[in-house]
Amino acid sequence: MQPCILCNQNAVREIELYIKGEKHRYTICAKCVAAVLKKERTNLFFFAAMLICWLMPIQNGFMSFSGILGTIIGLYGFARLILLVAARVYLRFGNDIPDWIWKGAMGKLYAQEAVADQLKRELNEQYVQTPREFERNPFNPSAN
């Protein structure tokens, strides 16, 4: 496998980015993925804030529409929060990136964002997009 795009060490995972609408593959090492996941704290705050949805069933009852919706959102937020905290604890003591962190704790998404930001700085290129950004708003060269 190719060296990591961020630090030139042995890479273990592969990500995809779009540059001017063309798909490119880059590799990233476990150390860089762990650093990105440890650095990113907004995801923890977001899912902790989702736990406030538990107040809706308490206020309106569990059998109301808002109660059912609040319960579902609260359970989702709780599950994501537990998964993200477990990933942070695992990465503190482990050196590899297992699949449950790569997929479930959004390791791939955060790695794509980190590499895209790095490439935007290095290449002075504004048309570097992650796959999620490309799906929402693909760069269309014929539009210019």
Side-chain angles (χ1 to χ4, degrees):
M1 196 170 252
Q2 298 174 341
C4 176
I5 186 84
L6 298 176
C7 68
N8 291 326
Q9 293 184 4
N10 290 335
V12 293
R13 297 286 182 169
E14 189 173 70
I15 60 169
E16 299 170 347
L17 292 175
Y18 290 88
I19 300 177
K20 291 187 177 181
E22 295 179 15
K23 189 178 195 178
H24 296 274
R25 293 184 183 272
Y26 297 100
T27 55
I28 190 164
C29 68
K31 185 178 176 182
C32 291
V33 174
V36 168
L37 281 172
K38 288 177 186 176
K39 181 178 144 188
E40 195 62 42
R41 290 204 171 105
T42 56
N43 55 8
L44 290 173
F45 294 129
F46 175 72
F47 290 113
M50 283 181 67
L51 293 176
I52 294 174
C53 291
W54 285 108
L55 298 177
M56 289 176 19
I58 293 171
Q59 180 183 7
N60 300 329
F62 284 101
M63 299 315 277
S64 65
F65 177 73
S66 62
I68 292 170
L69 185 65
T71 303
I72 291 169
I73 293 172
L75 284 172
Y76 176 75
F78 183 69
R80 295 291 303 166
L81 183 65
I82 294 296
L83 185 64
L84 292 171
V85 169
R88 290 176 70 87
V89 170
Y90 182 87
L91 291 174
R92 181 170 289 178
F93 301 109
N95 293 333
D96 60 332
I97 303 295
D99 285 338
W100 67 271
I101 291 178
W102 186 247
K103 294 175 185 171
M106 298 192 290
K108 184 176 185 177
L109 178 72
Y110 289 119
Q112 287 171 339
E113 291 286 337
V115 172
D117 290 344
Q118 180 74 19
L119 287 175
K120 284 177 186 176
R121 282 193 300 270
E122 287 178 1
L123 302 174
N124 292 327
E125 187 66 54
Q126 61 181 351
Y127 296 112
V128 178
Q129 297 176 311
T130 64
R132 288 181 73 179
E133 291 171 338
F134 185 76
E135 288 173 8
R136 291 184 198 141
N137 186 18
F139 173 69
N140 188 357
S142 63
N144 291 337

